[in-house]
Amino acid sequence: EMSEMSERSKQNVAYGLAWSYYVGYLKIVLPRLKKSLEEFSRANPNVLTCRETWKLHILIPLSCDVYDDLEKADSNIQYLADLSETTLTRAGTKKRVYKHSLHTIRDEDKLWHCAVEYATPLQSLYAMSQDECAGFGREDRLEQAKLFYRTLEEILRGSKECAGTYRLIAYEDSGEAETHFLSREILWHLRQQRDEEYTVPQGNQLHHPATTLSTTELDLQISMSDLPQPLRSNCF
């Protein structure tokens, strides 16, 4: 009965996607990321100058609007190069290739470089909301995107293998009028990582852009049992 109730309310969708994304992808690639970045840095010593940003920056737009080409999302983001590939035999596929792309993020006074990509399961959530057979509307998609973020954050927080190798960037899209919205979101996170080595004076608060979402703002009620609890969306 509980399984049927959960299935009818679609509470298992994002929960399962987050675990699949972690087990089938992030847990494989993140522990190898630092080595790939170090190899690239040795070959290109003047590119990845800020070690604090040597992480995979994972974009999580709550609209689930994912671009295949980041340059089309924001012209201030340009493809730079691919990191070294990881090749594994997985689920019957010989020599399955995993790799990340470095991008250049244009700031007003400098260029930043980082590994950045979308969380691909969001494409599934978006596709489900466009397919009548899924019975999955826009509001369902928003709730599931928030649940996906919170679940993934909890999973990664408890993962020793992935510690210090990622940065989740969850945000609300600002609309088509903001042509460089995405690059500003990424730049804010890059600057914050660069400045994390400095002690913030007691009582001071770091500025958060209005569209970047913190854990507190996405304080969804995630169950500690096998099934998620009903979502609470009063913060949006």
Side-chain angles (χ1 to χ4, degrees):
E1 183 178 353
M2 289 180 62
S3 178
E4 290 177 358
M5 290 173 61
S6 179
E7 187 174 334
R8 285 196 299 269
S9 62
K10 307 178 184 68
Q11 291 173 5
N12 277 338
V13 176
Y15 188 75
L17 285 175
W19 271 103
S20 177
Y21 184 48
Y22 168 69
V23 174
Y25 179 64
L26 295 181
K27 192 176 181 181
I28 297 170
V29 301
L30 288 181
R32 297 170 169 83
L33 180 65
K34 285 289 177 70
K35 181 181 178 181
S36 296
L37 289 167
E38 287 171 355
E39 291 174 355
F40 183 89
S41 184
R42 283 196 297 270
N44 304 272
N46 297 321
V47 178
L48 299 174
T49 56
C50 182
R51 293 187 68 94
E52 288 74 21
T53 63
W54 286 19
K55 301 173 183 177
L56 181 61
H57 298 78
I58 303 172
L59 303 176
I60 305 179
L62 295 186
S63 67
C64 299
D65 191 7
V66 172
Y67 287 80
D68 290 326
D69 190 339
L70 282 169
E71 297 177 12
K72 293 180 179 179
D74 189 324
S75 60
N76 277 352
I77 305 173
Q78 297 292 319
Y79 167 79
L80 176 63
D82 289 332
L83 295 176
S84 58
E85 299 176 350
T86 295
T87 304
L88 300 171
T89 297
R90 295 277 296 177
T93 300
K94 295 289 187 180
K95 298 181 180 180
R96 178 169 290 181
V97 175
Y98 300 85
K99 68 177 181 180
H100 308 288
S101 295
L102 289 176
H103 286 78
T104 299
I105 317 297
R106 182 176 298 278
D107 200 355
E108 292 180 358
D109 57 350
K110 66 176 293 186
L111 298 177
W112 297 73
H113 305 93
C114 68
V116 57
E117 62 189 48
Y118 286 101
T120 52
L122 297 179
Q123 291 180 310
S124 298
L125 288 177
Y126 188 85
M128 288 179 67
S129 70
Q130 303 297 307
D131 193 322
E132 292 182 0
C133 296
F136 197 83
R138 183 179 179 278
E139 291 302 317
D140 295 314
R141 187 180 72 201
L142 175 61
E143 294 298 322
Q144 293 300 308
K146 290 188 285 185
L147 178 57
F148 173 83
Y149 167 73
R150 286 289 289 117
T151 305
L152 183 61
E153 184 184 49
E154 290 293 329
I155 294 170
L156 287 171
R157 186 182 297 152
S159 173
K160 294 180 180 179
E161 302 99 321
C162 299
T165 63
Y166 66 92
R167 181 86 171 193
L168 300 183
I169 304 178
Y171 58 91
E172 290 184 289
D173 302 68
S174 66
E176 295 182 0
E178 297 279 347
T179 56
H180 299 304
F181 162 78
L182 184 55
S183 60
R184 287 200 301 270
E185 291 291 320
I186 298 171
L187 284 169
W188 183 87
H189 281 270
L190 293 175
R191 294 191 193 101
Q192 188 186 49
Q193 291 171 87
R194 177 198 62 188
D195 297 338
E196 279 176 354
E197 60 185 293
Y198 302 106
T199 303
V200 179
Q202 188 172 2
N204 287 356
Q205 294 290 330
L206 288 175
H207 169 69
H208 286 263
T211 50
T212 297
L213 305 172
S214 66
T215 302
T216 303
E217 292 170 317
L218 287 175
D219 186 18
L220 304 177
Q221 294 181 356
I222 306 298
S223 171
M224 299 306 291
S225 65
D226 291 339
L227 297 176
Q229 295 296 314
L231 303 178
R232 179 169 58 85
S233 58
N234 59 317
C235 1
F236 285 85

